Amino acid sequence: MQSRQRAQFVLMLMFALFPTPDRTVWMKERSSHWWEYIVNRNFTDGDWMENFRMKRATFQYLCLELRPFLEKNSNRKCHSVELRVAVTLWICGSGMEYRSIGHLFGVGISSACNIFRETVQAIATHLSPKFIQMPTGRRLQNIVEGFEAKWGVPQCEEAIDGTHVPIIAPSEHKTDYYNRKSFYSIVSQVICDHELRVLHVVSGWPGRVHDARVLAKSNIFQKAESGTLFPPTSRLINGVEVPILILGDPAYPLKPWLLKTFSEFGVLSQAQRNFNYCHSQGRLCIEGCFGRCKGKWQILQQRLNFETEFVPVLILACFTLHNLVMVHNEGFDQEWMDLVEDDRNHIGYQPGHDMRQYDAKAIREAYVQYFNNR
C-alpha cells in the first residue's frame, strides 16, 4: 500500500515539476494570400491565359456552370467554388503535384487531391454533354462547307483518330496497356470538325487496342453502318454519289462513310499519291486538335499516376475544357448551345438510309480523280 502511495506521490511531483505545455497550434498554418490577393486583384487577362489557360470571364462562366454540382458536396464548404475550379485548371494546365498546389493555394495535400477529382468528375459528367456533341441541322452543313473551304475536301463532316495518354503501369493486366510505341497508355478515339472542336470522344481502352477495334466497338460505327449518323444527303463527285463522310488514316477500314488513304506499302500512281497528300491536308485538323488540347492541358502529356478508371474521366474533362475555351475565345456560337437538348438525347437520324447503295472503293476513286483534276 505504501509503495502505491509512494508511486502516486512521485507522479504528482513529476507533473508539478514538468508541466505539459499548452498546445497552441492544432494544424499547420496555411496561407491563401496568393490566390485571394495576388490572383483575384492583380492578374490581367494575359496572366489568366498563361496560368489558368483561359480568360477571367471564361473562368467565371465555368464556375457558374459548375457551382450547382460542386456545392452539393458539403465536405468542401470551406473552399469556394472559384478556388476549387482554379486548383483544377492549374493542375490540368501544368500537371503540378498536389504538394506544390497546396502550398500555392493554401490547402492541404488531401484537400487538393479531393478538390481536383471532384471538379474533374463534375466537368466530365455535367459539362461534356453540353460542349461535346455531334452536329445536326444547319451546324452540320456549316461544317461540311467549312471542310471544303478550309481543307479542300468536299462532302466531309469530320476527321477521326486515336491518341495515347501515358500512364503508370497498372497493377493488373499491365500488358494490355503496353502499346506499340513502347509505353503504357490509355487510348482515346476523338472526332473533330474543321475548326478543331471536338465532336465525340471514346476513352478508356487499353493502349494495346488497335484504333480500328476502338471504332468498331463505338456507337459511331453502329450509327454509321446503319445510316443514322448523318442525314441522307449525297453529292455527285466525278459521276459517283458520295454521302457525308469522315476522314481517317490507314488504320481504319475503308467504308462508304469513312475515307482513308492508300497504303504507302504498295506501288502508288501519281494520282493516288496526290490523293494521299490532299487527304492528309484534310486530316491536319485532328492533329491540330490533339496538339492544341495537349499543349494547353499539359497533364495529358505526363505519365498519369491515377487508377485506370479515373483516367478516361480526366481525358474527357480536358477535351471539354478544350471546347469551352475555343467557344469563348473565338466567339460564342449560340446555335451550338441551342442544339444541346436535342443532341444530348438524339445523335443521329431516323430512319436510316441504306449505306449499301454506296461503293467505298468507287467513292475513293472519285476523290482521286477530283483531287487530280483540281
Side-chain angles (χ1 to χ4, degrees), residues 337-357:
M337 303 308 298
D338 288 342
L339 295 171
V340 168
E341 195 64 32
D342 291 338
D343 288 352
R344 186 182 305 178
N345 299 320
H346 179 63
I347 299 178
Y349 301 85
Q350 297 292 341
H353 57 292
D354 189 0
M355 295 302 293
R356 292 175 298 179
Q357 64 181 300

Side-chain angles (χ1 to χ4, degrees), residues 134 158 160 189 191 200 202 215 217-225 229 246 257 347:
M134 293 292 285
E158 53 201 34
I160 185 173
Q189 174 185 281
I191 296 175
H200 192 268
V202 174
L215 173 62
K217 294 297 183 178
S218 69
N219 64 342
I220 290 294
F221 185 89
Q222 308 304 325
K223 290 178 180 294
E225 286 287 274
L229 182 62
I246 305 173
W257 50 268
I347 299 178

Side-chain angles (χ1 to χ4, degrees), residues 7-215:
Q8 290 175 346
F9 174 77
V10 171
L11 288 174
M12 292 173 61
L13 182 63
M14 291 180 62
F15 280 120
L17 295 176
F18 307 100
T20 303
D22 293 334
R23 184 181 294 273
T24 58
V25 179
W26 289 93
M27 63 175 57
K28 290 182 179 179
E29 185 177 354
R30 305 183 189 278
S31 174
S32 58
H33 176 84
W34 177 83
W35 161 248
E36 293 178 358
Y37 295 95
I38 304 300
V39 174
N40 285 316
R41 298 188 182 186
N42 298 309
F43 263 33
T44 65
D45 262 347
D47 295 327
W48 279 90
M49 283 294 295
E50 179 181 355
N51 294 284
F52 294 100
R53 303 302 195 261
M54 61 180 62
K55 297 177 182 177
R56 184 192 294 266
T58 307
F59 171 81
Q60 292 170 341
Y61 169 83
L62 179 58
C63 293
L64 181 65
E65 289 289 305
L66 292 175
R67 189 176 304 279
F69 312 108
L70 294 182
E71 287 186 340
K72 288 181 179 180
N73 191 336
S74 59
N75 295 329
R76 304 285 150 223
K77 289 291 185 181
C78 57
H79 302 301
S80 68
V81 170
E82 287 75 15
L83 183 140
R84 284 180 267 179
V85 174
V87 165
T88 302
L89 293 179
W90 196 286
I91 295 175
C92 288
S94 66
M96 184 181 288
E97 61 177 4
Y98 296 136
R99 186 184 305 277
S100 300
I101 285 290
H103 292 317
L104 193 62
F105 287 88
V107 298
I109 296 175
S110 61
S111 293
C113 175
N114 291 331
I115 286 171
F116 176 68
R117 287 175 171 268
E118 291 167 4
T119 309
V120 164
Q121 186 70 58
I123 294 171
T125 302
H126 302 292
L127 291 194
S128 63
K130 191 170 188 177
F131 287 93
I132 299 179
Q133 51 184 273
M134 293 292 285
T136 59
R138 183 57 198 171
R139 180 167 170 253
L140 184 146
Q141 188 58 39
N142 288 340
I143 294 175
V144 173
E145 294 170 359
F147 251 108
E148 183 169 11
K150 187 172 184 178
W151 304 103
V153 183
Q155 203 61 358
C156 177
E157 194 270 335
E158 53 201 34
I160 185 173
D161 203 357
T163 185
H164 290 266
V165 174
I167 61 172
I168 300 294
S171 57
E172 297 182 358
H173 310 293
K174 63 173 58 179
T175 57
D176 293 340
Y177 293 86
Y178 195 71
N179 62 41
R180 59 183 177 84
K181 299 179 181 180
S182 302
F183 64 89
Y184 295 96
S185 69
I186 283 181
V187 64
S188 298
Q189 174 185 281
V190 178
I191 296 175
C192 79
D193 66 12
H194 63 296
E195 294 180 328
L196 317 187
R197 290 191 296 189
V198 176
L199 304 177
H200 192 268
V201 178
V202 174
S203 188
W205 286 86
R208 192 175 180 180
V209 178
H210 195 273
D211 286 352
R213 177 170 173 77
V214 178
L215 173 62

Side-chain angles (χ1 to χ4, degrees), residues 256-314:
W257 50 268
L258 200 160
L259 186 65
K260 60 179 282 186
T261 56
F262 291 96
S263 173
E264 296 290 346
F265 296 107
V267 179
L268 303 182
S269 65
Q270 181 59 44
Q272 290 172 330
R273 286 194 293 270
N274 182 57
F275 165 82
N276 280 3
Y277 172 78
C278 294
H279 184 285
S280 65
Q281 291 297 109
R283 288 189 63 257
L284 286 177
C285 59
I286 189 65
E287 301 300 334
C289 175
F290 291 152
R292 182 165 179 167
C293 185
K294 292 185 177 182
K296 186 177 291 289
W297 310 111
Q298 295 185 8
I299 193 172
L300 297 182
Q301 300 185 53
Q302 302 179 2
R303 287 202 306 165
L304 301 179
N305 191 16
F306 302 109
E307 62 273 18
T308 54
E309 293 80 11
F310 180 71
V311 175
V313 179
L314 175 58

